[in-house]
Amino acid sequence: MSRYFIRSIEALSRLGGVSAVVLLIVAMVVMCQMILMRYLFRAPTIWQTEVVVFAATAAIFIGAPYVLMKKGHVGVDVIELMLSTPNRRRMQCLGAVLGLTFCVLMSVASGIYVYEAWEGGWTTPTIAAIPLWIPATPMLVGFGLLCLQYVVELMKLIRPELAIERQQAAASQHDQTIPHSHQRLGETP
């Protein structure tokens, strides 16, 4: 059951990472189009700025669980490296619990904000007047997925065999898909 939960949440986190990449590409393409329209053709831009800002912001929130899963965040580990293995794990658990607490609070606040924007009919104060629940929803989704990924990280810290099994499965799958990577120079696969 716990292995299935971990696999499911990590699959959602990977989907979030892919979605973040797509959103950043969309933001980049729209930014280039906006520059061409504004400076080359002297045409006004109405919707492009909001799309770029909202897509880049959504990418940050939706991609955060993937970054946590891959341990891609910036961290200072000087104190952590000085600790013994059990104390290091306790410190990582404390950090994960604090991160989870923050994400739960932000999920609730984001949910309230999205609901109020939906019910109140809030829009951006621009010509496009985009409903604010649209750009606020990725914040809610991102923090919700981040909560689930923190739960997975805590499960792996509490039961290290779950993390080891995932690492071994990934390593064996990597070895099966790239068998020639272990051959010597000049050997045939």
Side-chain angles (χ1 to χ4, degrees):
M1 177 66 178
S2 57
R3 287 183 190 94
Y4 177 75
F5 178 76
I6 289 172
R7 279 196 306 270
S8 300
I9 299 306
E10 287 183 344
L12 283 173
S13 293
R14 278 190 289 282
L15 179 64
V18 170
S19 300
V21 168
V22 170
L23 285 166
L24 287 174
I25 290 170
V26 166
M28 181 187 67
V29 168
V30 171
M31 177 67 80
C32 292
Q33 185 268 349
M34 180 174 65
I35 291 169
L36 286 174
M37 293 299 292
R38 186 179 292 168
Y39 295 107
L40 194 61
F41 300 114
R42 303 275 190 244
T45 56
I46 297 172
W47 56 271
Q48 290 91 336
T49 303
E50 287 182 340
V51 168
V52 168
V53 170
F54 294 153
T57 305
I60 291 168
F61 287 113
I62 292 174
Y66 178 77
V67 173
L68 176 63
M69 179 181 77
K70 291 296 186 179
K71 308 279 189 263
H73 52 280
V74 176
V76 179
D77 57 359
V78 174
I79 296 173
E80 188 177 324
L81 292 174
M82 294 175 8
L83 297 174
S84 64
T85 303
N87 286 333
R88 185 178 306 136
R89 215 164 91 217
R90 286 185 193 105
M91 187 174 175
Q92 289 170 343
C93 280
L94 177 64
V97 167
L98 291 174
L100 177 60
T101 302
F102 174 78
C103 290
V104 166
L105 292 173
M106 288 304 296
S107 293
V108 171
S110 299
I112 291 169
Y113 184 78
V114 168
Y115 175 76
E116 287 179 355
W118 175 277
E119 284 295 313
W122 299 352
T123 61
T124 58
T126 60
I127 295 173
I130 297 173
L132 276 177
W133 67 267
I134 295 171
T137 299
M139 184 170 54
L140 174 62
V141 171
F143 275 118
L145 287 175
L146 202 51
C147 287
L148 293 172
Q149 189 60 46
Y150 266 119
V151 169
V152 166
E153 297 303 316
L154 276 168
M155 290 172 67
K156 289 188 213 174
L157 286 168
I158 293 168
R159 292 186 49 203
E161 69 271 6
L162 293 174
I164 292 170
E165 289 173 5
R166 295 286 296 152
Q167 291 168 352
Q168 288 173 345
S172 68
Q173 183 181 14
H174 184 301
D175 290 344
Q176 290 172 358
T177 56
I178 309 175
H180 63 278
S181 63
H182 298 291
Q183 70 192 37
R184 292 197 163 101
L185 189 61
E187 289 182 349
T188 56

